[in-house]
Amino acid sequence: MVLGQTVSIPIKVSNNMGDTQLLKIGIDPSATDGVDGSLGEAVLPPLPPKDIFDARLKLPTSSNDFSTADFRFGTKPPFASTITYFLEFQPGMGTSITIEWDLPKETSGVIKDKFGGIIINRAVNGIGSFTVTNLALNKLDLIVQYNLISSINHQKEIPNAVELYQNYPNPFNPSTTISYSIPVVEALSAAEVHVSLKVYDVLGREIATLVNEYKQAGTYNENFNVKTRRGASLQSGTYFYRLQAGGPSAGSRKGFVQTKKMVVAK
């Protein structure tokens, strides 16, 4: 999406087990090659164990700095430049990785392996996806050509579907971020969309309510901490978080319910 002078491109990476990570790349007049917190960039902790799914972007400043967002310097139209972003992943328990993109007009690109595109050399245009089955090729270059002639202004990015993403980091202690997307309300056949996001233990007991309100279309991030409201810490182990958007409980015919697993580390 082109947001005024900012171009923000969503990149969704998932394995065939249902684990998903939403990444963002793009350009902005205020962006630097460092960590731009105002643009959603933040240095991630080290990789989790190899059996845990992970996807991240290597920032250009250091071989050790990774983030879920990477914005580079770019001005308002007219603007033309070719920028390479560095994507790395580990499949966890999956046997394949799918990369999905939604490029705005006046941009195009290509995904290449680190061997100059000898094995993977896939054009990236508009809305599309590509599946990687050779998991040894877990470091890819995403090369984007910006050729911005006009400015398309949107107040904010509008997702195409309801989606619950894998929390990050996972496993975690003491806190993690849970992200989810809500599309335009017509997609759920409701004038307003009621959203519920709750955390449960393995016995199905409710641990926390993170969201219980009406939401407009957009992508949201919620923080969950192992500290309970009474001040005690949750025990290490497996927990579940459940997103419900719309549905009969909210007075609409259609709804969305999805549950994902997360792990509290010792």
Side-chain angles (χ1 to χ4, degrees), residues 28-37 39 41 59-61 70-74:
D28 184 273
S30 66
T32 68
D33 285 342
V35 180
D36 301 308
L39 297 174
E41 298 179 1
L59 298 177
T61 51
D70 183 6
F71 286 86
R72 311 289 182 84
F73 174 77

Side-chain angles (χ1 to χ4, degrees), residues 28 78 124 151 179-180 192 216 229-230 242 244 252:
D28 184 273
V124 175
S151 178
S179 301
Y180 61 94
E192 294 180 306
Q216 296 180 349
R229 292 180 179 178
R230 297 180 180 178
R242 179 176 183 265
Q244 180 172 355
S252 62

